[in-house]
Every structure is written in structure tokens, then in C-alpha cells.
Amino acid sequence: MFLTVTTTGTPERPATDLGFLLHKHPGKAQAFSTSHGRAHVLYPEAGTDRCTAALLLEVDTVALVRRGKGKGRGGAPDAALAQYVNDRPYAASSLLAVALGSVFSSAMRGVCAARPELPGQTRPLHIEVPALPARGGPALVHRLFEPLGWRVTAEPVGLDTEFPEWGDSRYVRLVLDSETVTLAQALRHLYVLLPVLDDAKHYWVSSDEVDKLLRAGEGWLPEHPEQKLITSRYLSRRWSLTRQALERLELVRLAEADDSEVEEIDNAVAAESETEEKPTPLAVRRREAIVAALQESGAARVLDLGCGQGQLVQALLKDVRFTEIVGVDVSVRALTIAARRLKLDRMGERQAARVELRQGSLVYTDKRLKGYDAAVLSEVIEHLDLPRLPALEYAVFGAARPRTVVVTTPNVEYNVRWESLPAGHVRHGDHRFEWTREEFRAWAGQVAERHGYVVRFEAVGPEDPEVGPPTQMAVFTAAAATTTAKEAKAA
Ligand code: SAH
């Protein structure tokens, strides 16, 4: 996550004065440890005409998560509440504001011992934040920055240009320009308004946030037309509460503060997933079949890959044999709803320690997915474009390699039995393909062979003599494990 500040200049007032203002030499790349990771300051360009300083924060997610955990609980993730819905490495956010405040503290105060006249002068400023979480969208970004003398560009950023249906991220690319704002003011605007727009509650340790707000808001906040919104957003999650308490509240507030928004989220996610099957018994039957297959496999630590709104995670929690349940999904909205459905915040510690929700894409290998007993891909593969499927296969069967993998997908042959489904249509707008039983078997057989699994198939839902069941399920078992069992028996 990063931010750049650019200024232009003349031989009399060179742009490189930016280095004095920021107390960071344009000729050197510098790194600083901050409480959330390493901050780098570098100058992609440093000339008399034009000079750009970049602040880059490498968020240390692990440290962040660790700090969110309770002490000495035998390695069990403490509620993992700090971890769910984790976009921190990617987005500018409250953490960037914290880094800004610590790396540029003198600049923010408008202090420059070497050139005391500089901080009071204005000069052209151009600021860019490529990915800024902005709850309230571009409209709010304008309302917050324009009264302060900025020309504002706030373009919504899609989650993935290739997959527009992941849709409507809450990020904007922010560009600010001004000739009337001093650098110190600019930094203070950002220090307060980035977390206000982020409106997520990632860190706080101290209860002196009111002082910080008043200090940073000096000279502009008291006159700001959105003063109330800024103050309440800035403080509501910080006010004298411990960081962990706030992290625990994070999603609850997000989900419950504004019910109309939740409705919206619900609808959007429902539209994304298997709307027409919910809450019809097929979804329930599918979960039952999956849970049964997992129980039979003896799995204790389970991944629900593409967990959506968390129904399966919820079902798994009911059986204490599943000691660790990790839901992974690419959609933050789905995870938000899942967290709310599971009532993660109100769960007892023990329950909470068993469950974790993470954002991530399954087409990339992820070391954190290694070492689990089982993984479930329930109604997920058909949401991927076929050319991407091998990447998911590799990430799951090749890299993560759980002993058991359960995959379900629609049986396209059955579609003729859905009365509401026009002939030749897939069951859901986001399905990239739906397979016949033969196609699914061929795919699963190949995957099993390539990655050293044995596979068996089960029908889910009422089996039609002609077209088969509505849902097909494959249960993969690592061949090595099978051999070992056999060998053990033979021995
Ligand atoms: N497993 C749930 C949800 C199925 S809908 C169930 O059985 O009801 C498919 C889910 O896969 C969606 O939540 C979608 O966000 C997720 N998904 C699609 N592509 C993904 C990817 N590349 N990585 C992670 N999740 C993905």
C-alpha cells in the first residue's frame, strides 16, 4: 500500500525542496520500522522541475495478527477475529495513516529546522493513493477533500479487471491536486481522512485519540462542513477501547451499524451465489453430504475453499470433531456476511478459536493452506473460467495437498428437470460452465492421477434415473495415505 506526493518547481524554488519539507533526502531510499510493518520512503523522481516522494508500507500481516491474539493459549488462534477479511496488505488504510504520522511527524507539524521558511509556503501538490478503501464511495471522498482546497479525482477500483463480477470494491484511486494547501496541512488531512474513509478499525492502542484528532485537525477540522461525520468516524472505533476489543467489533459494526447497507450486501451476495437453490433442501442436502464425507475421512482441520456466506462453516462448527475450520473466499462481502452469520463476535472463546475466515483467491498457491486434513470446494469450480481451473487444481491438490478433498458441482444433465430454468441455461449467471457426469468424472480422474489421489463419486439430491442427481460430488483421498494404510495393514 502506498502514497505519492509530487510537487513541481523552478530553479528559484526547486521541486527537490520537498526533501527538506519531508525531512527525507531525495537521494536515498530509506526504510523505517513502524508498528505495522516496514515503511519505505523513496523518490521515483527528484529534479528541479518535478519531484515525487513515495511512502510505501509493507504491512506485516503476521505481526498484525499476532498482536491481535491473546496470550499463551497453546497455539490455538485466539478467535482469529483479527484475521478475517484481511485486505491490509493491499489497500491504503488506517495503517498508512499511522505510518504517515510516524515517518513524517516533523513534516506534519510543519517543522523544518534547516529551512524554517519552507513549511509556511504553499506550492503545487499532487497526491496519489492508488487503492484507498472508501466507505461512502467517491461522493464522500469529494465531500471530505474539496472543502479543504483540493481538486479531487476518485475513481472506483474493481476487485479484478478480469472478473468484473467480483465487483464493486470499496476502493477508489484517489488523486488530489492543490496550489493552496501547505505540505503540513496536506499530511494532516490525509492522517485524519484516510482512516475516516477506511472506516475500518485495525489498530488502536491508545486512548489519546481525541488529542491526536484535535492536533491533526487544527486549522481545518473546526470549519469543515463534514466535521461531525469525520469526528464520529475517527473516534467511534478508537475511543478508550483496547485494540483487540475494537478489532472484535470491527465486522459487527460494519455489518450492523447500518442495516440498509447489510440488506444491500446480502442481496448482492445472494445474487452472486446460488440464489435459486436457497434455502431449498438441495443446499442443505449438499452440506449434509459434505459433512458426512468429512466425518468419514476422520478430518479434524478443515478448509472450506470458496466458503461464500459461511453456511458450511456454520454446519461444521456443530461437530466438535472439527477442531479447526478455515473459510476462504475472494469476496469480502461474502466474508462479511459469513462473519455476521457465525456471530463471531459473540462466540465464546473456545468456539471462536476453532474458526477463521480469510480473504484469498484460490487460483494462487498459498502456503497457509498447507497442512490441513481436508479441503472442501462446494459449488466453487464452476465459478472459475476454465483456463483458470488448472491454477486452482495446482493450488489445492498440488501445493496445499490436504489428505481429503471434497468437490461438488452441478450436474448439467439435471437442468432439464428444473422447471424454472429455460432450456440450455446454466443455473446461475456466474457459472462459467456446468458439467455432465461424464465430464466431471473425466476431470476428477485426471486431477487425481496427476496429483496422486484416488477419487470416488457420490450423488447429492434426488437421483433421476435418466439424468442423475442435481449435484455431483467427488471425494479425493491422497493416494500416499491410502497406500500407507494398506501397507500398515499388510505389515
Ligand atoms: N461454497 C459455498 C459458496 C459457493 S458460491 C456454497 O457451497 O454455498 C462460489 C463462491 O466461490 C463465491 O463465494 C465466490 O466468491 C467464491 N470464489 C469464486 N472464485 C474464487 C476464487 N478464485 N478464489 C476464492 N473464492 C472464489
Side-chain angles (χ1 to χ4, degrees):
M1 70 208 214
F2 77 110
L3 163 160
T4 59
V5 182
T6 303
T7 188
T8 50
T10 58
E12 296 74 48
R13 292 190 64 202
T16 43
D17 281 353
L18 187 62
F20 285 106
L21 284 165
L22 291 174
H23 298 241
K24 302 286 175 280
H25 195 284
K28 288 191 288 197
Q30 300 175 59
F32 308 85
S33 289
T34 76
S35 46
H36 304 100
R38 261 180 108 57
H40 303 264
V41 178
L42 49 134
Y43 289 75
E45 56 185 338
T48 309
D49 299 349
R50 219 179 125 85
C51 180
T52 297
L55 170 67
L56 187 139
L57 180 64
E58 264 181 277
V59 176
D60 182 347
T61 328
V62 174
L64 211 58
V65 168
R66 287 230 175 92
R67 265 202 311 281
K69 286 183 180 173
K71 287 152 234 132
R73 301 235 341 276
D78 171 343
L81 285 168
Q83 310 176 31
Y84 51 72
V85 190
N86 186 343
D87 61 358
R88 281 161 218 161
Y90 315 115
S93 71
S94 315
L95 303 184
L96 191 58
V98 176
L100 202 74
S102 81
V103 173
F104 298 133
S105 62
S106 307
M108 235 175 85
R109 278 183 283 125
V111 177
C112 180
R115 303 273 304 277
E117 78 289 359
L118 280 184
Q121 299 171 355
T122 55
R123 59 183 314 138
L125 289 178
H126 172 88
I127 293 175
E128 288 200 33
V129 189
L132 173 72
R135 183 152 177 255
L140 183 60
V141 178
H142 283 272
R143 268 163 43 211
L144 292 180
F145 283 98
E146 272 167 2
L148 299 169
W150 294 103
R151 292 188 300 285
V152 177
T153 310
E155 298 163 351
V157 176
L159 274 180
D160 185 315
T161 46
E162 245 186 276
F163 294 92
E165 72 285 353
W166 291 359
D168 85 327
S169 77
R170 39 193 279 279
Y171 304 97
V172 300
R173 186 175 86 90
L174 173 67
V175 182
L176 299 172
D177 283 282
S178 177
E179 288 78 35
T180 58
V181 175
T182 65
L183 183 67
Q185 284 166 342
L187 294 174
R188 290 193 227 151
H189 295 164
L190 293 168
Y191 180 78
V192 173
L193 296 180
L194 293 189
V196 163
L197 281 165
D198 186 347
D199 202 26
K201 311 83 212 168
H202 290 155
Y203 57 102
W204 0 117
V205 266
S206 59
S207 56
D208 62 353
E209 295 292 341
V210 179
D211 294 342
K212 282 192 195 166
L213 176 64
L214 294 181
R215 239 180 287 132
E218 211 178 293
W220 63 271
L221 186 57
E223 282 80 49
H224 199 293
E226 297 292 350
Q227 176 198 29
K228 219 175 129 202
L229 178 144
I230 294 170
T231 310
S232 74
R233 276 206 188 181
Y234 189 91
L235 290 177
S236 61
R237 279 86 189 184
R238 306 173 177 204
W239 182 242
S240 76
L241 293 170
T242 66
R243 184 194 70 248
Q244 181 156 1
L246 277 162
E247 276 178 343
R248 278 168 189 245
L249 284 169
E250 175 173 339
L251 279 182
V252 192
R253 296 212 182 192
L254 224 179
E256 287 178 358
D258 182 350
D259 264 347
S260 61
E261 182 174 298
V262 172
E263 289 287 296
E264 239 174 73
I265 294 174
D266 261 329
N267 292 340
V269 173
E272 265 176 18
S273 30
E274 320 294 299
T275 351
E276 76 291 341
E277 292 176 11
K278 271 175 210 156
T280 61
L282 182 56
V284 177
R285 287 219 202 179
R286 194 160 49 220
R287 278 197 290 283
E288 287 168 355
I290 293 168
V291 172
L294 291 173
Q295 286 165 339
E296 200 181 314
S297 78
R301 303 177 64 237
V302 178
L303 297 166
D304 182 10
L305 304 175
C307 64
Q309 301 180 36
Q311 292 95 331
L312 178 64
V313 172
Q314 191 172 36
L316 292 171
L317 271 168
K318 296 200 177 111
D319 184 338
V320 293
R321 283 175 285 182
F322 300 115
T323 56
E324 195 178 335
I325 305 150
V326 178
V328 180
D329 204 286
V330 75
S331 160
V332 174
R333 286 186 310 198
L335 291 170
T336 303
I337 290 167
R340 192 180 55 136
R341 171 191 308 280
L342 297 169
K343 301 193 172 64
L344 283 184
D345 62 307
R346 274 163 274 175
M347 244 177 211
E349 282 208 357
R350 254 202 214 185
Q351 279 292 81
R354 292 171 58 209
V355 60
E356 182 186 330
L357 300 179
R358 288 186 199 155
Q359 195 206 357
S361 174
L362 302 169
V363 294
Y364 302 102
T365 54
D366 181 346
K367 273 188 258 170
R368 297 180 306 169
L369 301 184
K370 276 190 188 168
Y372 286 83
D373 301 326
V376 177
L377 287 159
S378 164
E379 308 296 286
V380 171
I381 56 171
E382 66 275 10
H383 289 263
L384 272 83
D385 285 323
L386 272 173
R388 287 228 172 178
L389 199 52
L392 173 137
E393 284 161 38
Y394 179 75
V396 175
F397 294 89
R401 283 204 74 75
R403 200 176 62 235
T404 303
V405 183
V406 181
V407 180
T408 74
T409 195
N411 164 21
V412 70
E413 298 166 78
Y414 193 89
N415 287 4
V416 296
R417 296 286 183 268
W418 294 115
E419 275 163 24
S420 56
L421 200 67
H425 278 240
V426 295
R427 294 182 202 178
H428 185 268
D430 191 45
H431 286 181
R432 306 311 164 86
F433 59 86
E434 284 176 353
W435 278 334
T436 62
R437 283 166 291 176
E438 199 183 313
E439 285 168 323
F440 182 51
R441 277 165 192 265
W443 171 79
Q446 250 182 33
V447 169
E449 189 170 352
R450 199 170 313 132
H451 296 287
Y453 282 78
V454 289
V455 59
R456 65 185 162 82
F457 298 91
E458 279 180 33
V460 180
E463 194 154 8
D464 183 286
E466 214 177 307
V467 296
T471 298
Q472 34 189 354
M473 178 162 98
V475 181
F476 298 79
T477 308
T482 328
T483 323
T484 318
K486 265 193 219 139
E487 282 168 0
K489 237 184 191 170

